[in-house]
Amino acid sequence: MSYFKLREFECKCNSKDCTGKQPRLRMNQTLLDALNRIREELGQPIVITSGFRCKNHNKAIGGALNSRHMAGDAVDIRPASGSAEDLEELWKVCEREAAVVGLGDGRRKGFVHIDCRPGTRKVWQY
């Protein structure tokens, strides 16, 4: 079951030449599967606040030089309700998801970053 549409992952820059807006954009399947499991366990819609980023958009918003968003295997998310309690629950669900390797704590800013990078789990705060 898929709770998400490809357009939710498109780059949010305003450039008509952005590669992240092209229909052939492919997000990492491991990430998509993990997101669906997280959504299922959370029991409510999840908003993708940042999905794929082209290099120019990533630079413009101050993203990390080698951001996983540019590889299509990272997203920043928040619960649709926007409540602090639901954000805490989202964090806990993401912590339990085995496919999540990168876990960024942006709860003070209203989001959680997850990615499926190669390697072992890495957790950090924004």
Side-chain angles (χ1 to χ4, degrees):
M1 177 178 293
S2 179
Y3 292 101
F4 303 95
K5 296 189 177 10
L6 187 58
R7 70 177 180 272
E8 295 178 78
F9 298 92
E10 290 180 346
C11 185
K12 296 192 180 357
C13 80
N14 293 320
S15 170
K16 66 178 181 175
D17 298 323
C18 175
T19 58
K21 294 195 182 303
Q22 296 177 2
R24 71 176 185 266
L25 168 67
R26 300 264 189 245
M27 293 297 292
N28 178 286
Q29 190 62 50
T30 301
L31 176 69
L32 297 176
D33 293 342
L35 268 173
N36 280 306
R37 287 189 299 271
I38 290 166
R39 163 59 177 88
E40 188 73 23
E41 186 175 341
L42 187 64
Q44 70 166 285
I46 294 172
V47 175
I48 298 169
T49 59
S50 184
F52 184 85
R53 295 180 195 158
C54 70
K55 186 176 180 179
N56 290 336
H57 183 61
N58 190 66
K59 183 177 180 181
I61 65 168
L65 185 60
N66 294 315
S67 172
R68 300 310 309 174
H69 289 272
M70 295 186 301
D73 64 6
V75 290
D76 296 340
I77 55 178
R78 67 170 177 79
S81 72
S83 81
E85 294 82 16
D86 289 342
L87 183 60
E88 288 301 316
E89 183 60 25
L90 175 61
W91 173 261
K92 291 174 187 173
V93 171
C94 290
E95 280 185 312
R96 291 190 293 268
E97 173 54 50
V100 171
V101 179
L103 184 58
D105 184 355
R107 288 177 288 176
R108 289 181 296 161
K109 297 180 178 187
F111 73 96
V112 175
H113 168 98
I114 63 170
D115 67 56
C116 295
R117 70 180 70 201
T120 57
R121 180 157 285 185
K122 179 180 179 186
V123 180
W124 66 93
Q125 288 189 340
Y126 287 97

